[in-house]
Amino acid sequence: MTARFAAKMRAATAACVSSQDVPYSRKMLPMGEAPANQFRGYVPLGPKPYLDRFMIEYRLTGVELHNKTRRRRASFRIGDETFDVEYLVHECLLRSHGEFRCAGDEEALQFCRDTADEMVSLFGMTRDEAVVAINRQWSDAEPAGRMPRVWIVGLDIVYHETPEYWAERIFRSHASS
């Protein structure tokens, strides 16, 4: 984990509400082993602080989340805290942020913008070309697929790499097509 990413995680969780501040029923959050299709249409957010942040950003209540969230066992460590549950939200709750259809929250929007900035800086692309390339990489549907193809939200795996990494990877992919 990079220092920049760790700092983002600390900042993201600093403003989160505690579990006691967000009432919702454990019944609506099934846990444990489940058939694979139980999570179809659900997008992982990460541990509880990411669910809390999502609820705040989207201005959702526990009632609005009823039957639109799931949870499963997973291990996360943020700072000195350990979390054993990953929360998922149904994709019907998500909305695109900014010019990137795949950006499901403000952090993802900034990450995509940073990636576009790198593409402009490193490869001389126009901003519009960079946006198109990023949307092609993560948003455009595969044949008969959903749109956006990928939602970047919460503690997404794309954050395991830097905007510079993604800029180069997307540029190379875009240039070869």
Side-chain angles (χ1 to χ4, degrees):
M1 178 182 330
T2 66
R4 180 177 168 191
F5 178 65
K8 275 188 170 185
M9 286 182 20
R10 281 192 300 277
T13 59
C16 291
V17 296
S18 71
S19 300
Q20 297 89 343
D21 296 330
V22 183
Y24 46 86
S25 166
R26 289 196 182 274
K27 289 180 186 175
M28 74 174 217
L29 298 168
M31 186 152 175
E33 297 303 314
N37 66 355
Q38 177 179 347
F39 299 115
R40 182 174 290 132
Y42 286 82
V43 178
L45 290 177
K48 180 76 169 77
Y50 285 86
L51 175 65
D52 294 342
R53 189 182 77 185
F54 177 81
M55 290 176 67
I56 291 167
E57 183 172 332
Y58 275 73
R59 295 186 173 107
L60 296 171
T61 65
V63 171
E64 293 166 316
L65 288 178
H66 186 67
N67 292 328
K68 293 183 180 100
T69 58
R70 297 285 184 263
R71 66 184 193 166
R72 62 185 172 196
R73 294 187 198 295
S75 295
F76 298 93
R77 186 167 183 83
I78 302 175
D80 292 336
E81 276 191 89
T82 302
F83 300 89
D84 296 323
V85 175
E86 176 180 44
Y87 290 85
L88 300 90
V89 296
H90 196 273
E91 58 191 13
C92 72
L93 291 173
L94 297 169
R95 64 178 182 272
S96 296
H97 285 61
E99 62 274 28
F100 301 99
R101 294 183 304 273
C102 59
D105 60 21
E106 290 297 323
E107 182 178 14
L109 175 61
Q110 188 57 54
F111 188 85
C112 289
R113 286 180 174 163
D114 291 347
T115 302
D117 291 345
E118 289 296 326
M119 293 172 81
V120 169
S121 170
L122 294 172
F123 305 110
M125 299 177 81
T126 68
R127 177 79 175 170
D128 288 343
E129 289 172 329
V131 170
V132 166
I134 291 168
N135 277 326
R136 183 181 302 161
Q137 176 76 23
W138 288 321
S139 297
D140 288 355
E142 294 172 351
R146 68 177 198 203
M147 184 104 136
R149 183 169 43 81
V150 173
W151 279 107
I152 302 172
V153 64
L155 186 58
D156 197 276
I157 195 162
V158 300
Y159 299 130
H160 288 232
E161 299 294 347
T162 64
E164 296 83 7
Y165 168 88
W166 285 113
E168 184 171 335
R169 184 174 177 113
I170 293 168
F171 175 78
R172 301 277 178 237
S173 172
H174 180 71
S176 68
S177 37

